Amino acid sequence: MGGVAWGAPGLAPTWSSSDKDFVTTAHGAARLWATVGHGIINEVYWPSTGQPQLRDLGFYLLGENSWADLKRINRYRLSRPKPYVPLLTIAHSGDDYRLTLELLPDPRRDVLLIRFDVEGPYRLAIVAAPHLGENGIDNSAWVEDGALVATAAGASLCVAADAPMVDLSVGYVGATDGWQDLARHGRLTFDFSAAPHGNVAMSGSFADAKGVIALGFAPGVNGARTLALSALSEGYEPIKNEFLDGWQRWGSRLDLPAPDAGLGEEALISATVLKCHEDRMFPGAVVASMSTPWGNHTDTLGGYHLVWTRDATLAAFALIAAGQIEDARRILAHMIAVQMQDGRWPQNYFPSGRPFWTGFQLDETGFPILLAAKLRESGRQDLPGVGEMARRAAGAMAKWGPSSEQDRWEENPGISAFTLAVVIAALVAAAPWLDDSERDYALDLADDWNERIEHWCYVSGAPMAIRTGVAGYYVRLAPPEKDGGLTGRVQLRNREGETIDASALVALDFSWLARLGLRAGTDSRILDTIKVVDAVLKTETPAGAAYRRYNDDGYGEYDDGRPYDGNGVGRAWPLLAGERGHLALAAGEDPIEYLRTISRSASSGGLLPEQIWDAPPIPERGLFPGRPTGGAMPLVWAHAEFLKLLIARQQKRPVERLACVEQRYGAGARRARRTRWRNETPVASLEKGRTLLIEDRRPFTLHIGWDGWSDVEDMESEPLPFDLWGVAIDPDRYQGRARLDFTRRYGERWEGRDHCVEFVDGPQAHTLVHRETRKP
């Protein structure tokens, strides 16, 4: 061997492209997941779905005087025994060769087996790029006893085979790796025995045309080697049979609608993708995607291999609809375990429960309650701890809502129709787990916020309404600073800090008002907003009519195809075709074309992407209309949305719809007993005969006066459920008055601001008239 490789530490590491074809794992005790893209293995996760440990493993053919990089040639076909059995066969073919690869995760060991068969005058070569630990910067690799090994930060990899490996070498990426060797010499000539502390790669070839390669993962090198060699010793066929038996037992329970063969196949694939994304080191943890958006341009620790309670709950609803109730119960059990003491969940977190991003999204506090209620309505006994979880989550929503630090797109504070819908439904759904006073408060709070949805989120007379010929529409969100009207501007976080009038920003977020049963699908306000969304967000692609997140979105590739880098141009999301399809279903239409749009967006292996390209083709960047972009793929949320719409079409009702919410609001919004005034949601005018409840999160003295500060007096706040404090102003107290004036004192400190509430004869105005706002 040639000693230590030169070129340390190598190029700066990145992850693989998120343009993936396939994801696979085994049923059993093993804790390994593999993804495939461009005909090669592009990431392996171990010992958790939150921990990618291999950037990629590429396949090459070595001829007498030539070599072939199969990823760049990009001529391959994928197949599997059944849509719900992720045993992948990759067949690369050319004029004078055929390479067949079969990928087999061992159900019992943390080992990925690869069976290969070369036809033609070539030998197989591989180049593997470990990315062990939490990054690819400080990996060490060497050759040991005819195998390739690497280690870093408590994680180790061994690449071995059941036939002799030759041309073994390790090196630094961009300098002495196997691909550089092939590019310079046309064959593997390097024979370095060690490459310590850098961004490393390992290479080798096989003299035999057929064989099995084993990738073993363990905390230490000895363990990784033992696992790889023991899997090879047991033999490929027994392990394959166990793998097939495990998936067959699971998949045989699936009974999904199949309006046509393509949609039926995609349904089975989608259910399998959801199942594949469940962790086994931390059962019930479901990451959003085993990918990193635009991963070949970044070495970020997070990516999408993190848990969002929103995405995980939506996956659980899809699994319930598919008959996999126990899978959904494990998801809920995991959420109970990682809930924070204040009742919330982190914005996202690793499967272990360790937070990554730490923002607060109110919908993510409501979703676990919806899941618990759905399981209860399905006849399942409550999990231990579910009552305390629901009580704490309801308390967090009651205390901090209805405004959220972030909307569901994780970009802006304010009141979002989507978040409101989830939180209102969750407050109703939490009732069985609350005590009498908490239940009474939570239900009346839900009624109050439900009555005021249009006051906060619906605008009439705005320019887009006039252009579209409608009375008004629901906006994406109302900014947190309000002055009695839907005014102010919203920052477009991925557009170099641009801002837009809140009244001019629309999204499909409002669709959840109908899906969860707070508004009828035939409500004129819903139908009018659909017209605006179709005019502003819909884009026609070869896959069908697709939708962007909101107008002037910046999360996506630039128009010239450059990858998103913190700014860009938002592209169409297949899952939003599902949300539009749910609206069609609510209006009595057949949503089948929306299902077909989602299905036609899939990769060759049936994976659904986060985004599809909706601009002219840019072949040199691999961007084609209607096909996946460099965003995340697969996206669990998209697979869940497809599966739920397919089942909802058959059942004629949304999967997420709860009977308790439908019973409360099926006949329309209920009149709340109290209208709540909070700093984030002030009440400009109150219909006479209603009770005003002035609330805060800490004790206060209410200093009040009437009609211009006459008859001044002080009132002490009283404790309310969920650590809130308030003073109620009943109708008999303001009888004969036109206006309440008030301010507050906290101990010896005054808040330094006066407020007023007008008393009016008619109902509170629920539609806000557009008012122009100036750009700063």
Side-chain angles (χ1 to χ4, degrees), residues 705-771:
W706 305 97
D707 302 329
W709 286 105
S710 64
D711 300 329
V712 173
E713 63 178 302
D714 288 345
M715 304 174 68
E716 296 299 325
S717 62
E718 297 181 354
L720 301 171
F722 306 121
D723 295 324
L724 289 164
W725 295 79
V727 173
I729 308 295
D730 296 319
D732 58 355
R733 192 170 188 85
Y734 62 77
Q735 187 173 5
R737 310 283 193 175
R739 190 179 82 180
L740 168 70
D741 302 290
F742 69 93
T743 188
R744 290 164 295 180
R745 188 177 70 246
Y746 301 90
E748 298 302 317
R749 185 178 62 82
W750 291 91
E751 68 172 301
R753 183 181 178 185
D754 291 348
H755 312 278
C756 69
V757 179
E758 303 282 346
F759 301 111
V760 297
D761 290 324
Q764 291 172 282
H766 291 307
T767 300
L768 297 185
V769 178
H770 171 72
R771 298 204 299 262

Side-chain angles (χ1 to χ4, degrees), residues 282-287 307-317 327-341 343-346 349-353 363-372 375 383-386 388-390 392-393:
F282 303 100
V286 175
V287 296
V307 181
W308 279 260
T309 60
R310 173 179 48 252
D311 300 50
T313 298
L314 295 174
F317 270 105
D327 292 346
R329 282 169 59 84
R330 281 195 305 278
I331 293 172
L332 180 60
H334 177 77
M335 291 178 184
I336 293 171
V338 301
Q339 185 183 25
M340 297 188 295
Q341 285 300 311
R344 300 180 290 180
W345 279 264
Y349 52 91
F350 290 96
S352 66
D363 67 291
E364 292 202 288
T365 300
F367 267 120
I369 295 178
L370 298 183
L371 175 56
L375 287 167
L383 292 171
V386 94
E388 178 61 17
M389 178 277 289
R392 285 194 288 163

